[in-house]
């Protein structure tokens, strides 16, 4: 049954919630409070659960009316903000929090001369420390692609995937988020360094033995290198295979431990599951 | 030098940006546009870079004025929304996106009888499919703790950590976020099932051999089990050690591959790095 004309249409979801998109149903803010009030009465009568408003930046005059009507912020990104109100009074509010994990990557790039690619950042928390090239994964970007891109942007070196080394998970980082830092071993396909002047103060190929003893290399970064050497000796890899969700038909990356086949070289491509 | 009284004070950050918190400097919205305009002129003269406004829900009358003055949404959570404006005209906007990765966990719980703990969810995308107990990690929660908590809440079984099995990384999920699903093998310390009626339709201990052939077990879930059996046979684990950042003094979890020492049982505790 369609909603009466004096209330917002919205879109019904499988949890019996309604989402109103300002882009589709923008009205002057003068009429907004009245229409909102009528809509809330209608949705309550219909036993709807969570009511969501997605408000575009240019329609932000809606926001103070929504908070006055008991809506709370849920999340926002460039272009819009999303507010919600939980209607049932006899049911526990059951709305997942928005993403709170920043995803960063580091590339452990070791060449044939047993040297590792290291950088000093321009705006480093620890001045002059030698770090692995890396940065945040972009929205929708795979971990390995992010590591390869960051190494290319910061150092000019083209690489291919070898193995995931380690994950570091910490809390209380930027924007109050937690942080997963995934270190990926990459095999370089080139050797000429091209420094990103905006972000990187200096960079070099450093012999592994020097890296493992260097006072300006953080202990955790040395640990990643010891892991890398250990995996190599053990002939095992934390590899990545692509799969596809049977119902949603969405692609995903699966990471898991796998022995290195004897006839493969160390720069195995991502396979298909 | 202090800001003049007619502009917002804000807090200066190490990137030469300014953050104004509505909680600390709330003024009536009537005066707000004028004060904002003067503040922007002042910050431009001071060569500030990113200007941030953190606006509490009860101060959301600021929001339409901010968007009118060229501010954009950055992120929001229950209680507040954050908007920003990049002031330099001769410099590329260099602001990290907010977190866009949901972090989920699944518990692969295998008992001494070679049975695995499986659940059917009440609101499942695939009806009647047998899945691993699990859910989203809470803000500030470690992966292993989240897996142990979800297994306890959904099934009543107490567990301890054995090994990380696999990560699945996919895009285009809930709220438009990407999704990391981390499967962790857990060793049960109890066996009596106590179903969470709100979320779980049915649950059971299923023999591993049956699980590996079951038509209502998704191929990826069977893959996690094969990985678990393989790691066990190989005597290797993707383990977790706690560390502390040397400068920030924040704790973190480090996950990496490690052989199982011969004299250890299979339910090793998390160690210290």
């Amino acid at each position: 049954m369609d909603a009466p004309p004096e209330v917002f249409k919205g879109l019904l979801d499988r949890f019996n919630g309604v989402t109103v998109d300002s882009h589709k149903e923008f009205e002057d803010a003068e009429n907004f409070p009245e229409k909102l009030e009528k809509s809330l009465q209608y949705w309550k009568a219909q036993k709807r659960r969570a009511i969501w408003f997605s408000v575009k930046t240019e329609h932000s005059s809606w926001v103070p009316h929504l908070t006055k009507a008991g809506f709370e912020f849920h999340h926002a990104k460039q272009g819009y903000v999303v507010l919600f109100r939980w209607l049932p009074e006899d049911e526990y509010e059951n709305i997942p929090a928005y993403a709170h994990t920043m995803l960063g990557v580091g590339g452990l790039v070791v060449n044939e001369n047993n040297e590792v690619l290291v950088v000093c950042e321009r705006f480093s928390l620890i001045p002059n420390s030698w770090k692995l090239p890396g940065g945040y994964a972009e929205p929708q970007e795979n971990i390995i692609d992010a590591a390869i891109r960051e190494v290319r942007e910061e150092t000019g070196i083209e690489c291919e995937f070898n193995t995931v080394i380690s994950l570091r998970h910490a809390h209380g980082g930027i924007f109050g988020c937690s942080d997963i830092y995934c270190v990926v071993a990459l095999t370089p396909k080139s050797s000429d360094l091209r420094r990103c002047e905006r972000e990187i103060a200096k960079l070099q190929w450093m012999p592994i033995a020097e890296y493992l003893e260097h006072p300006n290399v953080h202990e955790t970064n040395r640990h990643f290198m010891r892991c890398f050497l250990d995996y190599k000796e053990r002939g095992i890899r934390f590899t990545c295979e692509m799969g596809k969700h049977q119902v949603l038909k969405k692609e995903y990356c699966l990471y898991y431990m796998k022995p290195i086949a004897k006839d493969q070289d160390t720069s195995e491509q991502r396979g298909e599951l």
Side-chain angles (χ1 to χ4, degrees), chain A residues 35 73 113 136 150 217 223 264:
Chain A
K35 186 162 182 176
F73 293 115
N113 306 322
Y136 291 118
E150 285 286 349
V217 172
H223 179 72
Q264 279 178 319

Side-chain angles (χ1 to χ4, degrees), chain A residues 204-216:
Chain A
Q204 63 160 295
W205 289 105
M206 184 184 281
I208 289 179
E210 182 183 341
Y211 179 88
L212 286 172
E213 301 291 330
H214 202 295
N216 292 350

Side-chain angles (χ1 to χ4, degrees), chain A residues 120-123 153-154 195-201:
Chain A
C120 274
E121 293 173 344
R122 278 186 59 197
F123 299 99
E153 287 175 3
E154 292 185 359
R195 181 170 65 91
C196 168
E197 295 183 9
R198 192 161 59 86
E199 290 186 33
I200 305 297

Side-chain angles (χ1 to χ4, degrees), chain A residues 14-260:
Chain A
R14 68 180 169 116
F15 303 102
N16 196 23
V18 176
T19 300
V20 177
D21 186 337
S22 75
H23 186 56
K24 292 182 192 151
E25 302 190 52
F26 189 70
E27 304 262 326
D28 272 350
E30 279 177 59
N31 308 324
F32 183 80
E34 196 185 332
K35 186 162 182 176
L36 178 61
E37 180 55 36
K38 282 185 184 151
S39 302
L40 284 168
Q41 283 169 16
Y42 175 73
W43 291 323
K44 278 178 193 169
Q46 299 269 312
K47 303 273 182 204
R48 299 302 176 215
R49 293 166 85 229
I51 309 298
W52 300 86
F53 272 79
S54 176
V55 182
K56 291 213 149 226
T57 308
E58 59 265 38
H59 305 145
S60 67
S61 59
W62 279 13
V63 173
H65 297 298
L66 285 163
T67 59
K68 208 173 286 173
F71 281 75
E72 248 300 349
F73 293 115
H74 185 268
H75 66 277
K77 33 185 138 170
Q78 214 157 332
Y80 65 91
V81 60
V82 174
L83 300 97
F84 76 100
R85 184 175 155 189
W86 181 254
L87 288 189
E89 285 172 9
D90 56 352
E91 197 188 344
Y92 171 79
E93 180 192 306
N94 194 15
I95 290 176
Y98 190 73
H100 45 77
T101 305
M102 302 288 291
L103 179 60
V105 295
L108 185 89
V109 183
V110 173
N111 67 16
E112 290 178 341
N113 306 322
N114 287 316
E115 294 167 322
V116 57
L117 184 57
V118 289
V119 301
C120 274
E121 293 173 344
R122 278 186 59 197
F123 299 99
S124 181
L125 207 60
I126 313 169
N128 287 314
S129 67
W130 287 108
K131 296 176 63 176
L132 304 176
Y136 291 118
E138 290 176 358
Q140 317 287 325
E141 190 177 34
N142 290 330
I143 290 168
I144 294 169
D145 299 328
I148 290 173
R149 176 185 54 74
E150 285 286 349
V151 169
R152 183 193 307 121
E153 287 175 3
E154 292 185 359
T155 73
I157 301 292
E158 286 293 338
C159 292
E160 55 191 22
F161 175 62
N162 179 353
T163 175
V164 173
I165 297 284
S166 179
L167 295 180
R168 187 193 63 195
H169 189 203
H171 306 296
I174 187 170
F175 308 131
C177 290
S178 297
D179 183 274
I180 287 182
Y181 175 60
C182 182
V183 177
V184 175
L186 301 172
T187 306
K189 299 192 288 182
S190 63
S191 59
D192 287 347
L193 301 174
R194 194 184 64 236
R195 181 170 65 91
C196 168
E197 295 183 9
R198 192 161 59 86
E199 290 186 33
I200 305 297
K202 47 186 182 169
L203 79 174
Q204 63 160 295
W205 289 105
M206 184 184 281
I208 289 179
E210 182 183 341
Y211 179 88
L212 286 172
E213 301 291 330
H214 202 295
N216 292 350
V217 172
H218 187 280
E219 167 55 22
T220 312
N221 277 328
R222 281 183 262 163
H223 179 72
F224 296 140
M225 178 59 82
R226 289 192 295 265
C227 286
F228 171 73
L229 298 172
D230 180 55
Y231 298 1
K232 209 169 143 185
E233 193 185 314
R234 208 170 297 276
I236 201 158
R237 215 177 256 157
F238 208 78
T239 191
C240 175
E241 293 191 345
M242 306 302 291
K244 196 172 260 184
H245 196 286
Q246 287 178 332
V247 177
L248 302 175
K249 302 294 176 203
K250 279 191 309 192
E251 275 216 325
Y252 53 71
C253 298
L254 264 192
Y255 298 88
Y256 65 101
M257 273 191 271
K258 199 178 174 185
I260 299 170

